[in-house]
Tab-separated table of all heavy atoms in Angstrom:
chain	number	residue	atom	x	y	z
V	771	GLU	N	33.834	-4.541	13.802
V	771	GLU	CA	33.932	-3.971	12.463
V	771	GLU	C	32.585	-3.953	11.739
V	771	GLU	O	32.508	-3.531	10.591
V	771	GLU	CB	34.937	-4.785	11.624
V	771	GLU	CG	36.334	-4.818	12.201
V	771	GLU	CD	36.935	-3.424	12.307
V	771	GLU	OE1	36.692	-2.614	11.385
V	771	GLU	OE2	37.624	-3.152	13.303
V	772	ARG	N	31.561	-4.429	12.390
V	772	ARG	CA	30.249	-4.529	11.752
V	772	ARG	C	29.235	-3.676	12.491
V	772	ARG	O	29.346	-3.473	13.700
V	772	ARG	CB	29.786	-5.985	11.748
V	772	ARG	CG	28.411	-6.184	11.130
V	772	ARG	CD	27.974	-7.638	11.211
V	772	ARG	NE	26.577	-7.793	10.811
V	772	ARG	CZ	25.879	-8.909	10.873
V	772	ARG	NH1	26.465	-10.005	11.331
V	772	ARG	NH2	24.621	-8.961	10.497
V	773	LYS	N	28.266	-3.168	11.765
V	773	LYS	CA	27.177	-2.410	12.373
V	773	LYS	C	25.910	-3.258	12.373
V	773	LYS	O	25.657	-4.018	11.442
V	773	LYS	CB	26.953	-1.091	11.634
V	773	LYS	CG	28.100	-0.100	11.824
V	773	LYS	CD	27.774	1.233	11.191
V	773	LYS	CE	28.917	2.219	11.367
V	773	LYS	NZ	29.116	2.566	12.769
V	774	TYR	N	25.121	-3.109	13.422
V	774	TYR	CA	23.924	-3.912	13.615
V	774	TYR	C	22.714	-3.000	13.792
V	774	TYR	O	22.806	-1.962	14.434
V	774	TYR	CB	24.048	-4.793	14.856
V	774	TYR	CG	25.232	-5.739	14.845
V	774	TYR	CD1	26.500	-5.316	15.240
V	774	TYR	CD2	25.078	-7.063	14.445
V	774	TYR	CE1	27.580	-6.183	15.241
V	774	TYR	CE2	26.145	-7.939	14.438
V	774	TYR	CZ	27.397	-7.492	14.838
V	774	TYR	OH	28.460	-8.355	14.834
V	775	GLN	N	21.591	-3.430	13.217
V	775	GLN	CA	20.329	-2.724	13.449
V	775	GLN	C	19.254	-3.664	13.994
V	775	GLN	O	18.479	-3.281	14.864
V	775	GLN	CB	19.808	-2.078	12.162
V	775	GLN	CG	18.471	-1.338	12.367
V	775	GLN	CD	18.038	-0.545	11.154
V	775	GLN	OE1	18.822	-0.345	10.225
V	775	GLN	NE2	16.792	-0.097	11.132
V	776	TYR	N	19.224	-4.909	13.510
V	776	TYR	CA	18.172	-5.845	13.894
V	776	TYR	C	18.756	-7.015	14.680
V	776	TYR	O	19.698	-7.669	14.224
V	776	TYR	CB	17.447	-6.365	12.650
V	776	TYR	CG	16.949	-5.260	11.755
V	776	TYR	CD1	17.560	-5.000	10.536
V	776	TYR	CD2	15.878	-4.464	12.142
V	776	TYR	CE1	17.116	-3.970	9.725
V	776	TYR	CE2	15.420	-3.436	11.343
V	776	TYR	CZ	16.048	-3.194	10.125
V	776	TYR	OH	15.601	-2.175	9.331
V	777	LEU	N	18.214	-7.279	15.850
V	777	LEU	CA	18.676	-8.355	16.721
V	777	LEU	C	17.488	-9.229	17.111
V	777	LEU	O	16.344	-8.770	17.148
V	777	LEU	CB	19.328	-7.782	17.984
V	777	LEU	CG	20.509	-6.820	17.766
V	777	LEU	CD1	20.928	-6.197	19.093
V	777	LEU	CD2	21.681	-7.538	17.125
V	778	LEU	N	17.777	-10.482	17.402
V	778	LEU	CA	16.737	-11.424	17.804
V	778	LEU	C	17.203	-12.189	19.037
V	778	LEU	O	18.120	-13.006	18.966
V	778	LEU	CB	16.421	-12.402	16.671
V	778	LEU	CG	15.359	-13.464	16.976
V	778	LEU	CD1	14.015	-12.808	17.294
V	778	LEU	CD2	15.215	-14.427	15.808
V	779	PHE	N	16.584	-11.881	20.184
V	779	PHE	CA	16.855	-12.596	21.435
V	779	PHE	C	15.946	-13.816	21.441
V	779	PHE	O	14.723	-13.695	21.550
V	779	PHE	CB	16.559	-11.672	22.631
V	779	PHE	CG	16.737	-12.333	23.970
V	779	PHE	CD1	18.004	-12.588	24.475
V	779	PHE	CD2	15.635	-12.692	24.732
V	779	PHE	CE1	18.164	-13.196	25.712
V	779	PHE	CE2	15.782	-13.298	25.963
V	779	PHE	CZ	17.060	-13.555	26.456
V	780	TRP	N	16.522	-15.015	21.335
V	780	TRP	CA	15.770	-16.242	21.075
V	780	TRP	C	15.836	-17.158	22.299
V	780	TRP	O	16.903	-17.613	22.703
V	780	TRP	CB	16.350	-16.944	19.853
V	780	TRP	CG	15.594	-18.148	19.414
V	780	TRP	CD1	16.002	-19.444	19.469
V	780	TRP	CD2	14.289	-18.181	18.830
V	780	TRP	NE1	15.039	-20.280	18.972
V	780	TRP	CE2	13.965	-19.536	18.566
V	780	TRP	CE3	13.348	-17.196	18.517
V	780	TRP	CZ2	12.760	-19.925	17.992
V	780	TRP	CZ3	12.143	-17.585	17.946
V	780	TRP	CH2	11.861	-18.918	17.683
V	781	ILE	N	14.682	-17.428	22.893
V	781	ILE	CA	14.574	-18.262	24.096
V	781	ILE	C	14.359	-19.714	23.663
V	781	ILE	O	13.430	-20.015	22.917
V	781	ILE	CB	13.410	-17.794	24.979
V	781	ILE	CG1	13.569	-16.315	25.340
V	781	ILE	CG2	13.309	-18.648	26.235
V	781	ILE	CD1	12.320	-15.690	25.918
V	782	THR	N	15.219	-20.614	24.151
V	782	THR	CA	15.132	-22.018	23.755
V	782	THR	C	14.593	-22.925	24.852
V	782	THR	O	14.096	-24.010	24.559
V	782	THR	CB	16.515	-22.526	23.320
V	782	THR	OG1	17.453	-22.307	24.393
V	782	THR	CG2	16.996	-21.782	22.086
V	783	GLU	N	14.721	-22.505	26.114
V	783	GLU	CA	14.219	-23.344	27.192
V	783	GLU	C	13.787	-22.477	28.363
V	783	GLU	O	14.447	-21.488	28.701
V	783	GLU	CB	15.279	-24.357	27.641
V	783	GLU	CG	14.753	-25.393	28.629
V	783	GLU	CD	15.656	-26.608	28.762
V	783	GLU	OE1	16.700	-26.641	28.085
V	783	GLU	OE2	15.311	-27.518	29.535
V	784	LEU	N	12.686	-22.875	28.988
V	784	LEU	CA	12.111	-22.122	30.088
V	784	LEU	C	12.488	-22.759	31.422
V	784	LEU	O	12.640	-23.978	31.518
V	784	LEU	CB	10.586	-22.095	29.962
V	784	LEU	CG	10.011	-21.603	28.633
V	784	LEU	CD1	8.496	-21.797	28.616
V	784	LEU	CD2	10.367	-20.154	28.385
V	785	PRO	N	12.602	-21.954	32.477
V	785	PRO	CA	12.819	-22.517	33.820
V	785	PRO	C	11.503	-22.977	34.430
V	785	PRO	O	10.431	-22.474	34.073
V	785	PRO	CB	13.403	-21.336	34.598
V	785	PRO	CG	12.797	-20.140	33.933
V	785	PRO	CD	12.632	-20.479	32.478
V	786	GLN	N	11.603	-23.926	35.350
V	786	GLN	CA	10.404	-24.386	36.036
V	786	GLN	C	10.010	-23.373	37.106
V	786	GLN	O	10.867	-22.802	37.783
V	786	GLN	CB	10.622	-25.758	36.669
V	786	GLN	CG	9.333	-26.425	37.140
V	786	GLN	CD	9.537	-27.886	37.484
V	786	GLN	OE1	10.661	-28.315	37.691
V	786	GLN	NE2	8.459	-28.646	37.538
V	787	LYS	N	8.724	-23.146	37.235
V	787	LYS	CA	8.251	-22.184	38.231
V	787	LYS	C	8.550	-22.693	39.636
V	787	LYS	O	8.674	-23.898	39.873
V	787	LYS	CB	6.754	-21.943	38.046
V	787	LYS	CG	6.401	-21.250	36.738
V	787	LYS	CD	4.968	-20.769	36.707
V	787	LYS	CE	3.984	-21.915	36.762
V	787	LYS	NZ	2.584	-21.447	36.615
V	788	ASP	N	8.648	-21.766	40.559
V	788	ASP	CA	8.969	-22.113	41.952
V	788	ASP	C	7.990	-23.123	42.529
V	788	ASP	O	8.345	-23.973	43.330
V	788	ASP	CB	8.996	-20.847	42.818
V	788	ASP	CG	10.130	-19.911	42.426
V	788	ASP	OD1	11.100	-20.401	41.821
V	788	ASP	OD2	10.037	-18.713	42.725
V	789	SER	N	6.755	-23.030	42.108
V	789	SER	CA	5.739	-23.942	42.623
V	789	SER	C	5.878	-25.338	42.048
V	789	SER	O	5.226	-26.275	42.512
V	789	SER	CB	4.342	-23.399	42.296
V	789	SER	OG	4.159	-23.321	40.891
V	790	GLY	N	6.750	-25.486	41.017
V	790	GLY	CA	6.909	-26.778	40.371
V	790	GLY	C	5.792	-27.117	39.408
V	790	GLY	O	5.759	-28.212	38.844
V	791	ASP	N	4.879	-26.188	39.215
V	791	ASP	CA	3.727	-26.425	38.347
V	791	ASP	C	3.929	-25.711	37.024
V	791	ASP	O	3.470	-24.597	36.815
V	791	ASP	CB	2.444	-25.944	39.032
V	791	ASP	CG	1.210	-26.225	38.182
V	791	ASP	OD1	1.295	-27.097	37.307
V	791	ASP	OD2	0.185	-25.569	38.406
V	792	GLY	N	4.622	-26.359	36.100
V	792	GLY	CA	4.811	-25.786	34.778
V	792	GLY	C	6.111	-25.011	34.629
V	792	GLY	O	6.863	-24.804	35.588
V	793	TRP	N	6.375	-24.590	33.377
V	793	TRP	CA	7.590	-23.854	33.037
V	793	TRP	C	7.180	-22.514	32.427
V	793	TRP	O	6.255	-22.437	31.609
V	793	TRP	CB	8.416	-24.651	32.030
V	793	TRP	CG	9.172	-25.801	32.625
V	793	TRP	CD1	10.492	-25.840	32.949
V	793	TRP	CD2	8.659	-27.101	32.979
V	793	TRP	NE1	10.833	-27.059	33.472
V	793	TRP	CE2	9.729	-27.862	33.501
V	793	TRP	CE3	7.401	-27.687	32.909
V	793	TRP	CZ2	9.586	-29.165	33.943
V	793	TRP	CZ3	7.237	-28.989	33.346
V	793	TRP	CH2	8.324	-29.726	33.858
V	794	LYS	N	7.898	-21.469	32.824
V	794	LYS	CA	7.506	-20.119	32.411
V	794	LYS	C	8.701	-19.181	32.577
V	794	LYS	O	9.555	-19.396	33.436
V	794	LYS	CB	6.330	-19.639	33.274
V	794	LYS	CG	5.735	-18.292	32.895
V	794	LYS	CD	4.527	-17.990	33.768
V	794	LYS	CE	3.837	-16.725	33.340
V	794	LYS	NZ	2.630	-16.450	34.155
V	795	LEU	N	8.762	-18.125	31.755
V	795	LEU	CA	9.849	-17.144	31.861
V	795	LEU	C	9.317	-15.755	31.562
V	795	LEU	O	8.497	-15.567	30.662
V	795	LEU	CB	10.982	-17.478	30.882
V	795	LEU	CG	12.158	-16.485	30.872
V	795	LEU	CD1	12.912	-16.553	32.196
V	795	LEU	CD2	13.092	-16.743	29.704
V	796	GLY	N	9.805	-14.784	32.322
V	796	GLY	CA	9.535	-13.386	32.042
V	796	GLY	C	10.814	-12.677	31.655
V	796	GLY	O	11.867	-12.915	32.247
V	797	VAL	N	10.734	-11.827	30.644
V	797	VAL	CA	11.860	-10.964	30.258
V	797	VAL	C	11.505	-9.566	30.747
V	797	VAL	O	10.608	-8.915	30.216
V	797	VAL	CB	12.094	-10.985	28.744
V	797	VAL	CG1	13.266	-10.082	28.381
V	797	VAL	CG2	12.356	-12.412	28.255
V	798	GLN	N	12.206	-9.137	31.785
V	798	GLN	CA	11.849	-7.882	32.452
V	798	GLN	C	12.367	-6.658	31.711
V	798	GLN	O	11.695	-5.631	31.654
V	798	GLN	CB	12.391	-7.892	33.882
V	798	GLN	CG	11.999	-9.122	34.691
V	798	GLN	CD	10.495	-9.298	34.784
V	798	GLN	OE1	9.928	-10.173	34.153
V	798	GLN	NE2	9.850	-8.439	35.563
V	799	GLU	N	13.574	-6.764	31.162
V	799	GLU	CA	14.173	-5.587	30.512
V	799	GLU	C	15.292	-6.041	29.587
V	799	GLU	O	16.016	-6.996	29.884
V	799	GLU	CB	14.723	-4.605	31.555
V	799	GLU	CG	15.007	-3.227	31.008
V	799	GLU	CD	13.732	-2.421	30.736
V	799	GLU	OE1	12.640	-2.796	31.237
V	799	GLU	OE2	13.838	-1.415	30.006
Side-chain angles (χ1 to χ4, degrees):
E771 300 299 322
R772 179 183 171 186
K773 291 186 180 294
Y774 302 84
Q775 179 172 348
Y776 307 108
L777 303 173
L778 179 61
F779 177 74
W780 185 248
I781 304 166
T782 56
E783 188 163 0
L784 306 173
Q786 192 168 18
K787 294 192 296 185
D788 294 338
S789 62
D791 182 21
W793 283 259
K794 185 176 185 178
L795 178 67
V797 180
Q798 308 302 107
E799 196 73 16

